[in-house]
Amino acid sequence: MIDAGNIVQTTDTAALVVVTQIEPISVLFTLPEDDFGVVNKQMAAGQLTVTASSRADNKVLGQGTLLLIKQSN
C-alpha cells in the first residue's frame, strides 16, 4: 500500500497492509529468560503446543505448535 519514498506517520489513517492469509499465521510474544530452558527442552521434544488468546476477552483465537524461539539482543 506504500511505495519506496513515501512518508509514513503514526497518525495516518490509511492501512499499510492487508492480511490475506490467516492460516498458517505467526504470533510474536516475549518469554521470561528463566522459562527459556523449559520451553526449549519441550519444543525440542515436540511436546509444546500453544494457544493464542485475544487480549480483550481472553477468547481462544487458535492453537498450534511452537516452531522457533529467537533471542533478541
Side-chain angles (χ1 to χ4, degrees):
M1 305 262 181
I2 61 172
D3 298 311
N6 287 112
I7 297 175
V8 180
Q9 299 176 346
T10 57
T11 56
D12 289 345
T13 58
L16 294 179
V17 297
V18 174
V19 176
T20 58
Q21 176 178 332
I22 59 170
E23 213 170 295
I25 195 167
S26 62
V27 178
L28 303 176
F29 60 93
T30 58
L31 178 67
E33 185 177 351
D34 293 345
D35 296 333
F36 179 80
V38 174
V39 170
N40 197 33
K41 184 176 179 180
Q42 290 180 351
M43 188 178 81
Q47 301 173 350
L48 192 59
T49 57
V50 294
T51 302
S53 305
S54 66
R55 288 184 182 183
D57 57 4
N58 210 25
K59 178 182 174 186
V60 173
L61 301 174
Q63 294 182 328
T65 305
L66 183 63
L67 298 176
L68 174 71
I69 298 176
K70 179 184 176 192
Q71 181 178 355
S72 62
N73 295 335

